[in-house]
Amino acid sequence: MRLWSHELWRLGLLAVAGSLVGWLFSAPGLGLALGLALRLAYHLKQLHALRRWLTRNPHSEPPAATGLWGELFDRLYRYQKGQRQTQQRLQTTLKRIQESSEAMRDSVVMLDQHGDLEWWNSAAERMLGLEAAHDRGQHITNLIRDPRFVTYFNARDYREPLTLSSPVNERMVLQFQITLYGDDERLVMARDITRLHRLEEMRRDFVANVSHELRTPLTVLAGYLETYATYAEQLPPRLAQGLTRMQEQTSRMQNLVNDLLLLSRLEIDRGGEDHLPLAMDALLEEVRRDAQALAAGRQQVHIELEETRRLMGSDAEIHSALSNLAFNAVRYTPEGSQVVLRWKAHPKGACLEVQDDGEGIDPVHIPRLTERFYRVDKGRSSETGGTGLGLAIVKHVLLRHDAYLEIESRPGQGALFRCVFPAERLVAAETTADPIANR
């Protein structure tokens, strides 16, 4: 503000002096104009110096000046210096990020808001076959053309990773994970999981083979025990009790083997061949009857049908998933509880729900409930007769139907298991006639 007042004083004094000089020559107006012209010439000279400095060598010292122009030059110089320092820090940070990305064994690909390639590390060139000379600016789906990747990329639901073979080496298995950031930009990471994939295949094959081999001896054992059970009344009480116990454990082992075989089949077989529009009212009623029989009057099982559309899927697999949820609700709720089987609309399509008003589940256990053999209360495993594979089967059935499982529960507030199916899986009831409708 002080410099502005000084500038105004200078301008005023110059105008007065010019007017006085002009008055001496009987031309005060001409003198005033001449005084203002001199000040204007000074400002034009400083503007010219400013332009030369900014266009020719802005990194050098600013032109020498006093007053308002001197302060302006100093402020511009300090601003430029601060901007250069900020730019250098950003360049250093970017260089470190690129160097660290180059050191990563995983592929890192940066995409713009349109899905076009902006930058990638050397691992992406090896795993995905990207070439800087040709691929920069190309859309990612032009280079990774697998329909599953295209669907995954366009769905914008990246909560779960996607496993695919490498586009340049079919023997290399990659796990893709996409992250949204910035202005709708995306970061694609691909990890080589070939070794883990092979170990997982070996585990599945081992479980399937062992389960299959156990099936025959267990069937023979169960047959003999059933035969001996007809003479249980002639046996001493202690032997009769032992025979009953052996039958119970044999039956439990058979259920475990059957669940292991089913889970192995769900993991290995992609499915889809037996998918038909399902009449959900008939399916829910059949599961309700089975669950009510298992409850033996201790709980009540009800149906709520709020959605008329049918689900396109496998009758056997959906029945198995819903039965596992319903049977768990019966097994793990106290006497007098209510269990509801519900088919209703959902913002993403429709959902199957199994809800109970039992003891509930601590939220700390919910993320692990779909793991094989995971139990909230290990002490109740022998009492309920479950195999610990029910929710793992549910998870794999839903994956095969492009669906996912949501679990809501708190201790003392019951539990809600929700199977959410996309709208693409639904068909109108009035346009379909199929054998499933008359089950």
Side-chain angles (χ1 to χ4, degrees):
M1 190 68 184
R2 183 173 58 85
L3 292 174
W4 273 107
S5 61
H6 288 175
E7 181 65 25
L8 291 174
W9 273 107
R10 289 192 187 96
L11 188 62
L13 291 174
L14 190 60
V16 171
S19 298
L20 290 175
V21 172
W23 180 74
L24 294 175
F25 295 95
S26 302
L30 182 61
L32 174 63
L34 182 61
L36 294 177
L38 289 174
R39 196 60 186 171
L40 178 61
Y42 171 76
H43 287 306
L44 289 175
K45 178 183 177 182
Q46 297 300 332
L47 282 173
H48 180 66
L50 174 63
R51 181 180 178 279
R52 290 183 60 186
W53 175 49
L54 293 177
T55 55
R56 294 188 178 183
N57 192 7
H59 300 299
S60 64
E61 293 289 334
T66 59
L68 192 63
W69 281 103
E71 184 187 23
L72 178 61
F73 286 143
D74 290 341
R75 287 182 178 272
L76 284 174
Y77 181 68
R78 288 197 298 268
Y79 176 76
Q80 280 191 331
K81 188 175 181 181
Q83 290 296 311
R84 286 197 300 270
Q85 291 174 348
T86 302
Q87 187 177 14
Q88 289 174 356
R89 287 197 299 268
L90 290 175
Q91 288 177 344
T92 302
T93 303
L94 181 60
K95 183 178 179 181
R96 292 180 62 185
I97 292 175
Q98 290 179 340
E99 289 176 350
S100 61
S101 299
E102 284 293 330
M104 292 178 62
R105 300 176 64 182
D106 298 339
S107 298
V108 180
V109 181
M110 297 176 64
L111 308 177
D112 63 15
Q113 58 184 349
H114 305 294
D116 298 334
L117 292 140
E118 285 191 325
W119 179 87
W120 57 86
N121 63 353
S122 56
E125 297 180 355
R126 176 175 53 85
M127 295 182 186
L128 306 177
L130 301 181
E131 298 180 6
H134 308 97
D135 298 333
R136 196 176 304 279
Q138 292 285 332
H139 198 274
I140 185 68
T141 55
N142 292 339
L143 304 171
I144 307 177
R145 301 181 180 181
D146 191 298
R148 288 170 292 174
F149 179 83
V150 176
T151 302
Y152 178 71
F153 182 83
N154 294 329
R156 301 177 65 85
D157 184 2
Y158 307 133
R159 290 175 295 180
E160 296 292 333
L162 175 69
T163 301
L164 294 173
S165 296
S166 167
V168 294
N169 184 0
E170 293 184 355
R171 301 176 65 180
M172 181 187 297
V173 181
L174 303 178
Q175 185 181 72
F176 290 89
Q177 182 72 63
I178 301 179
T179 302
L180 288 167
Y181 74 97
D183 186 16
D184 204 27
E185 298 164 313
R186 278 171 267 207
L187 182 70
V188 182
M189 298 191 67
R191 174 174 298 175
D192 185 356
I193 59 167
T194 306
R195 181 173 176 273
L196 293 176
H197 184 74
R198 289 174 181 170
L199 289 174
E200 182 66 15
E201 286 184 336
M202 292 173 61
R203 182 197 62 78
R204 287 200 299 261
D205 293 342
F206 173 78
V207 171
N209 292 335
V210 170
S211 301
H212 183 74
E213 293 299 325
L214 285 174
R215 203 170 192 176
T216 300
L218 282 174
T219 302
V220 173
L221 183 60
Y224 277 109
L225 289 174
E226 185 177 356
T227 301
Y228 295 151
T230 58
Y231 303 100
E233 295 180 355
Q234 304 175 17
L235 296 175
R238 184 176 179 182
L239 292 179
Q241 183 180 4
L243 182 62
T244 303
R245 188 67 174 168
M246 290 170 63
Q247 282 185 298
E248 293 174 353
Q249 294 302 316
T250 302
S251 176
R252 184 180 174 192
M253 286 293 295
Q254 285 181 311
N255 292 334
L256 177 60
V257 167
N258 291 334
D259 281 353
L260 284 171
L261 287 172
L262 174 59
L263 189 57
S264 297
R265 183 181 65 80
L266 292 174
E267 290 178 328
I268 296 172
D269 181 20
R270 289 189 177 182
E273 297 83 3
D274 59 342
H275 286 195
L276 294 171
L278 307 179
M280 302 306 294
D281 52 349
L283 184 120
L284 263 67
E285 176 58 29
E286 184 173 337
V287 174
R288 187 200 68 80
R289 289 197 302 265
D290 295 341
Q292 193 66 69
L294 178 65
R298 294 187 300 274
Q299 297 94 354
Q300 294 299 317
V301 186
H302 307 283
I303 292 177
E304 293 182 5
L305 199 64
E306 304 175 12
E307 172 62 69
T308 59
R309 290 175 295 178
R310 298 182 180 182
L311 174 64
M312 181 67 70
S314 166
D315 178 52
E317 293 177 9
I318 298 297
H319 185 278
S320 174
L322 185 59
S323 296
N324 273 299
L325 294 175
F327 294 169
N328 280 350
V330 170
R331 289 191 183 106
Y332 298 109
T333 54
E335 186 173 351
S337 300
Q338 302 289 323
V339 178
V340 179
L341 311 181
R342 187 182 296 115
W343 172 241
K344 58 181 288 189
H346 187 273
K348 293 187 177 180
C351 63
L352 275 172
E353 293 183 348
V354 176
Q355 186 173 12
D356 65 71
D357 57 358
E359 300 174 356
I361 306 168
D362 193 322
V364 71
H365 297 290
I366 290 179
R368 299 191 60 190
L369 287 180
T370 56
E371 295 180 8
R372 296 175 180 85
F373 304 112
Y374 183 81
R375 297 181 184 275
V376 174
D377 185 357
K378 297 178 174 59
R380 297 176 58 184
S381 59
S382 60
E383 299 176 7
T384 61
T387 63
L389 297 172
L391 291 180
I393 291 173
V394 172
K395 176 184 176 181
H396 281 83
V397 168
L398 296 182
L399 287 174
R400 290 157 64 89
H401 289 78
D402 307 315
Y404 60 92
L405 179 65
E406 293 180 346
I407 305 175
E408 299 176 6
S409 182
R410 289 191 176 277
Q413 299 181 14
L416 173 63
F417 291 80
R418 181 184 296 116
C419 307
V420 181
F421 297 90
E424 295 78 11
R425 283 274 174 181
L426 305 177
V427 293
E430 62 272 15
T431 62
T432 307
D434 59 80
I436 305 300
N438 303 315
R439 51 183 300 154

